[in-house]
Amino acid sequence: MLTHDATWDALIADNKGFRPAVKATAWRPGSGSTLDVPVTDGWVLKDAGQYPRTHVSVTCADTSLVPRYLSDLLQPNGACLAIDYGYTDPATGTTTWLRIADGPITQVTADRPGGVIQVESADPSVGLTSDTRSDAGWGFTYLAGTTVLSVLTGLANTAYAPSAAGVDSSQLTAAQAAQTIPTGYTIPVQSRWEQGEDLADLIGAECYYRPDRYLVIRPTPTGKGVPAFAFMTGPKGTITDYQTQLQRPVNQVILRYGGAAGVIGTWQDLDPNSPTYSLGSYGFYTVLEDRDGIPSQAEANAAAKAYAMRLRGDARNFTVRAVPVPWLEPGDPITVSPVGGVTENHIVQSVSIPLGLDVMTLTTRNPTYSGVL
């Protein structure tokens, strides 16, 4: 959850009068210049299951609103785009702002004549695509004794993510921060970001860039903690419509590290009281995946379990269209109170914030499989 003005919760939850506001600012690392980009439509999408995690699309109404020869600050050659979402109090006219996205511009499309300009951007991780083995700038040799955290911190190296502002690993446990690279771990042919995600799995963590361009390294979300928002239907509810989908959940995960001669990590649902008990009438629904590197057996099993928890959460999907709650992020715990149902605890999987007058779309995953649609 993004840190935001506390009055926003009440404004949305109580359906009090307010006006949403949006502003977009183009800028370039190392330059003090900025460019205000007029916004007529667009969206900010954050999805825990995609790379990059954050995608932005901003539409300008007419090409006359920006120079015909695009400013250097509005080109996909190192320039960035920051998006701020605000609420205006009609009584005072005061707008409070919250930054919800910031990162490199990836594409600019202009329709001629008299059409629109569409600017797209992503988070700083979009620059971390080169192979870690051939890239001396990565700065690390994977030797036993090097902490996983020190390698993950390299994902904020400004040589490859120029807009990165720093690292926040404050939520990691002491054990996670101290865990070292397994003996014999090899450097796979992967991008820097993919390698970081695999290493994060080994310590039960995830990496992503938040809107202040800090690389966050934190434990994999479990859905526990104070809900970031309570979604309800009814007279004072913020939900306009929703859809649920129930699928057959995974009950076994096998991760093969280093090929046939490597290490195999496994997780299996062995709870006899579970509806997906693997030795019962449910049978097996197995996911098999090959990964590079050779961790210890305990680390491989831990990675398989962490991966299984994410997959099992996807067995029940909940899609909500509701009044925009711009501070929500993937991984946030929320509560949902649907019509005629009990209040449920969910984890945000993706959130799409509109930059025009529209409702947001939110997908969640239920942290525990209950069989309830």
Side-chain angles (χ1 to χ4, degrees):
M1 178 175 67
L2 301 178
T3 302
H4 59 284
D5 190 308
T7 62
W8 286 19
D9 297 78
L11 286 173
I12 298 175
D14 295 337
N15 286 325
K16 294 182 178 178
F18 62 86
R19 294 194 306 270
V22 175
K23 62 181 178 181
T25 307
W27 63 282
R28 180 180 294 277
S31 169
S33 301
T34 61
L35 176 69
D36 292 333
V37 180
V39 180
T40 59
D41 202 359
W43 42 262
V44 172
L45 172 64
K46 302 177 184 180
D47 190 331
Q50 70 176 15
Y51 169 76
R53 182 185 179 109
T54 301
H55 287 267
V56 177
S57 177
V58 170
T59 301
C60 298
D62 191 280
T63 55
S64 63
L65 295 177
V66 294
R68 180 166 296 276
Y69 296 101
L70 291 178
S71 165
D72 185 53
L73 298 176
L74 202 61
Q75 297 187 23
N77 58 2
C80 297
L81 187 68
I83 305 296
D84 295 293
Y85 197 96
Y87 283 127
T88 302
D89 184 341
T92 63
T94 302
T95 301
T96 52
W97 296 97
L98 173 67
R99 180 145 297 179
I100 61 173
D102 193 0
I105 293 173
T106 57
Q107 180 174 294
V108 180
T109 304
D111 292 334
R112 305 290 189 192
V116 298
I117 284 184
Q118 184 176 8
V119 184
E120 298 181 32
S121 65
D123 61 62
S125 69
V126 74
L128 299 165
T129 57
S130 56
D131 175 15
T132 57
R133 297 190 312 167
S134 61
D135 226 329
W138 174 250
F140 293 97
T141 301
Y142 290 177
L143 299 176
T146 302
T147 65
V148 172
L149 177 58
S150 68
V151 178
L152 295 180
T153 298
L155 294 174
N157 186 334
T158 55
Y160 300 95
S163 59
V167 178
D168 180 0
S169 59
S170 61
Q171 298 178 62
L172 292 180
T173 65
Q176 287 175 312
Q179 192 163 334
T180 57
I181 299 291
T183 300
Y185 194 88
T186 57
I187 303 176
V189 182
Q190 287 180 311
S191 72
R192 186 179 286 102
W193 188 258
E194 289 173 319
Q195 178 62 32
E197 287 187 323
D198 282 359
L199 285 171
D201 273 348
L202 293 180
I203 63 172
E206 69 170 5
C207 304
Y208 70 95
Y209 272 96
R210 67 188 183 209
D212 62 0
R213 307 190 314 283
Y214 266 72
L215 173 70
V216 176
I217 307 170
R218 69 176 183 183
T220 303
T222 62
K224 298 179 180 179
V226 178
F229 195 76
F231 287 94
M232 298 181 293
T233 55
K236 280 199 170 184
T238 57
I239 297 176
T240 60
D241 61 84
Y242 63 90
Q243 179 188 68
T244 60
Q245 183 181 69
L246 190 62
Q247 299 173 325
R248 190 167 185 250
V250 170
N251 68 350
Q252 180 175 253
V253 169
I254 299 175
L255 299 181
R256 297 188 301 197
Y257 287 90
V263 176
I264 298 177
T266 61
W267 174 87
Q268 192 175 344
D269 185 356
L270 296 175
D271 179 3
N273 296 317
S274 169
T276 58
Y277 179 45
S278 60
L279 301 182
S281 60
Y282 184 83
F284 285 94
Y285 179 13
T286 304
V287 169
L288 173 63
E289 185 173 302
D290 289 313
R291 293 190 175 185
D292 291 304
I294 304 179
S296 69
Q297 186 64 64
E299 289 164 331
N301 290 343
K305 181 179 180 180
Y307 191 37
M309 293 304 101
R310 292 200 298 274
L311 293 176
R312 283 172 63 80
D314 288 338
R316 180 169 182 259
N317 297 324
F318 198 96
T319 302
V320 179
R321 285 172 60 82
V323 174
V325 183
W327 59 84
L328 290 181
E329 294 268 279
D332 284 347
I334 60 172
T335 60
V336 179
S337 301
V339 175
V342 298
T343 298
E344 301 175 339
N345 296 316
H346 288 248
I347 301 175
V348 175
Q349 177 71 15
S350 70
V351 57
S352 180
I353 303 295
L355 302 183
L357 295 177
D358 200 354
V359 294
M360 75 173 185
T361 301
L362 182 82
T363 64
T364 77
R365 49 191 175 94
N366 195 302
T368 55
Y369 173 69
S370 64
V372 177
L373 184 60

